[in-house]
Amino acid sequence: MSLLTHLLACLFGMGSWVSINGLWVELPLIVPQIPEGWLLPSYLSVIIQMANIGPIFVTLMHRFQPGVLNETAVIYFIIGLGTVATFLMGFFWKETLVVAGASRSVALLALTFFLSVVDCTSSVTFLPFTMRLKPQYLTTYYIGEGVSGLLPALVAMIQGVGVVRCVNSTQLPDHTLNTSDGASTFDLRAEYLPANFSVEVFFFFLSFMMLVCLGAFLLLNYHPSVAREHPNTCLRNGVKDKSLSKRKGAEEKPMMDPYREVNPKRKSNFGTGTYSWMQVIYIFVILAWVCALTNTLVPSVQSYSCLPYGNKAYHLSATLAAVSNPLACFIALFLPIRSLLLMGALTLFGSGIGAYIMVMAVMSPCPLLVNEVSGGVIMVLAWFFFVLSLSYVKVIVGVILRDEGHSALVWLGAVVQLGSMLGAVTMFPLVNVYSFFTSGDMCNTKCP
């Protein structure tokens, strides 16, 4: 294995979701300066789901017109689009237009749609591209995908996003409250501290990261040392020699697994036929459920589950959750266990933790152990192990389907987006329409 190829695969994977992940972590600085306010996250959820038109188109083309769509050209296009969109976002994110008599952040919402198309489409193009590399580099790609969430979070922490203090708003008489014993108390309000650098700089940073992804993709396509890492590929004077490749593959095939049947009976017509149709359905159902949990269902209530325990618990939960994703991928790099039983057990474990997080969110602003240090510690650990266990499941599913061929990875990407969409459709009315969750005020909420 080549260290250079590992690095390039990681940087390539990093560009998959870095733009949208970066936009989410920057919301505390964006929201106070735009007319939509805290309704913006609900708008973003809808826009991201609308952007699934990209992966739907690619999946249908692979299904009904195989070989017509140039995968490499599509990847160049979406990376270039993401680079330009994030760069323009730095200039126009707070520009508004009057639409239907109200001021709207048209530029921000339109550019967010293009970024969403880029990131959603990466699920059905980036992963299939990894078929051109040896199987070991798929896990490295997943590490990069995890870093796409971790890196913006770390930069946002340096920037000082979401640092809140409680200030006394007693300048006006109506802020003064009288208690039953006649004493006067004062209304406190949460105030975000100024950032260390601007939102514009943050978006330019995201644009630079997309350029890094583009550079990594170029090198993965054209660097000679990477070409040597292509499976079943031999080079003669720096040029691929197909005859040598075929001969080498024929010589090595019986040595790969001497106890494997020469012509094993196919269990299904999916991929190599290794898995039966029931097992294939099981794998995809697990994948859709895990993606729904980790991408939309549980993250949509993160603030409700964590903020009652304090601002520090909230930031630790978000940071460790971002760290646990690439950590799970790193573990899978050395322990790529392809057990369907383990996959199910880890899914049940992670789902149980997700249920605990969801229950605490429902109980907000006064969840269990809200006044105890142990409550915050448990919540931080819950988020860490929730993301760690289910991220490992996603990587193992990727490793299994990678062995089943290119079209299996296309379907993997489509199911990832399907699961995320179903989760978003479920949570949007609960959070935004029916107000099923109640946000606590860290400065004023008192729990028994």
Side-chain angles (χ1 to χ4, degrees):
M1 291 188 292
S2 164
L3 182 60
L4 173 64
T5 309
H6 273 298
L7 176 62
L8 294 176
C10 182
L11 293 176
F12 175 57
M14 182 191 64
S16 58
W17 283 92
V18 71
S19 301
I20 292 299
N21 287 334
L23 182 61
W24 279 108
V25 300
E26 197 71 0
L27 284 182
L29 294 182
I30 295 174
V31 163
Q33 303 184 58
I34 61 172
E36 289 79 8
W38 278 108
L39 288 175
L40 179 63
S42 61
Y43 293 157
L44 295 184
S45 298
V46 173
I47 289 171
I48 291 171
Q49 299 317 311
M50 289 171 58
N52 278 311
I53 186 174
I56 289 173
F57 171 75
V58 173
T59 304
L60 291 177
M61 286 295 291
H62 276 290
R63 175 65 181 86
F64 297 107
Q65 297 290 333
V68 172
L69 198 65
N70 189 322
E71 187 176 82
T72 302
V74 172
I75 294 176
Y76 277 125
F77 174 76
I78 64 173
I79 296 178
L81 179 62
T83 304
V84 173
T86 47
F87 185 74
L88 292 176
M89 191 83 85
F91 291 102
F92 301 109
W93 68 272
K94 59 182 176 181
E95 298 295 325
T96 60
L97 291 174
V98 176
V99 179
S103 183
R104 301 294 181 190
S105 303
V106 175
L108 174 65
L109 297 176
L111 290 171
T112 298
F113 174 76
F114 289 121
L115 291 180
S116 302
V117 169
V118 169
D119 291 359
C120 291
T121 309
S122 72
S123 298
V124 293
T125 52
F126 284 23
L127 272 171
F129 172 79
T130 60
M131 282 294 298
R132 304 184 187 186
L133 304 173
K134 290 180 179 177
Q136 298 91 329
Y137 298 111
L138 176 63
T139 307
T140 310
Y141 167 85
Y142 272 116
I143 293 175
E145 195 173 84
V147 170
S148 74
L150 174 61
L151 190 58
L154 293 178
V155 174
M157 287 182 63
I158 297 171
Q159 186 184 15
V161 170
V163 180
V164 178
R165 66 179 177 183
C166 296
V167 297
N168 199 342
S169 53
T170 59
Q171 288 76 12
L172 298 176
D174 58 344
H175 286 285
T176 305
L177 306 175
N178 292 322
T179 61
S180 58
D181 59 0
S184 294
T185 60
F186 299 102
D187 184 28
L188 298 176
R189 61 182 176 85
E191 182 181 85
Y192 287 103
L193 296 180
N196 295 321
F197 53 87
S198 68
V199 175
E200 289 82 0
V201 172
F202 186 82
F203 280 126
F204 293 148
F205 162 75
L206 293 181
S207 183
F208 173 74
M209 297 315 299
M210 291 301 297
L211 277 176
V212 170
C213 173
L214 178 60
F217 184 60
L218 281 167
L219 291 174
L220 284 173
N221 277 295
Y222 298 111
H223 198 284
S225 66
V226 176
R228 299 188 191 98
E229 294 298 313
H230 291 179
N232 298 327
T233 298
C234 295
L235 298 179
R236 176 178 289 171
N237 298 325
V239 179
K240 294 181 184 180
D241 190 317
K242 294 183 180 179
S243 62
L244 282 176
S245 177
K246 290 179 181 178
R247 190 171 69 235
K248 186 172 185 279
E251 291 171 354
E252 289 185 353
K253 189 172 183 180
M255 297 176 63
M256 290 178 183
D257 190 351
Y259 302 102
R260 187 174 180 178
E261 298 178 39
V262 177
N263 293 308
K265 184 179 179 181
R266 292 176 62 90
K267 297 180 181 179
S268 69
N269 59 1
F270 178 82
T272 62
T274 305
Y275 299 97
S276 67
W277 277 117
M278 287 301 297
Q279 290 174 319
V280 171
I281 293 171
Y282 167 79
I283 291 170
F284 279 122
V285 168
I286 288 284
L287 178 63
W289 171 247
V290 166
C291 290
L293 282 179
T294 57
N295 294 349
T296 48
L297 281 173
V298 180
S300 63
V301 299
Q302 185 168 27
S303 60
Y304 299 103
S305 66
C306 298
L307 278 178
Y309 297 102
N311 198 48
K312 183 178 292 186
Y314 174 74
H315 282 287
L316 279 175
S317 298
T319 303
L320 287 181
V323 169
S324 59
N325 191 323
L327 176 61
C329 301
F330 189 75
I331 293 172
L333 184 63
F334 298 98
L335 294 172
I337 304 173
R338 293 173 170 82
S339 168
L340 300 186
L341 183 62
L342 175 64
M343 184 192 304
L346 285 176
T347 301
L348 286 175
F349 175 73
S351 299
I353 299 177
Y356 171 80
I357 294 172
M358 192 68 72
V359 170
M360 294 304 103
V362 171
M363 295 176 67
S364 175
C366 296
L368 298 177
L369 302 173
V370 67
N371 295 318
E372 304 292 334
V373 175
S374 59
V377 172
I378 292 172
M379 182 54 64
V380 170
L381 291 177
W383 271 98
F384 176 78
F385 286 108
F386 167 73
V387 177
L388 183 73
S389 57
L390 297 186
S391 294
Y392 185 86
V393 171
K394 287 193 285 187
V395 176
I396 295 307
V397 171
V399 170
I400 289 174
L401 294 182
R402 195 266 177 214
D403 293 341
E404 297 305 303
H406 182 276
S407 67
L409 288 182
V410 175
W411 282 107
L412 182 154
V415 172
V416 166
Q417 293 306 119
L418 175 63
S420 301
M421 182 181 68
L422 293 177
V425 169
T426 302
M427 291 306 296
F428 183 82
L430 294 179
V431 175
N432 297 281
V433 178
Y434 299 109
S435 300
F436 198 71
F437 302 91
T438 303
S439 181
D441 185 341
M442 70 176 66
C443 295
N444 295 299
T445 301
K446 302 298 180 183
C447 294

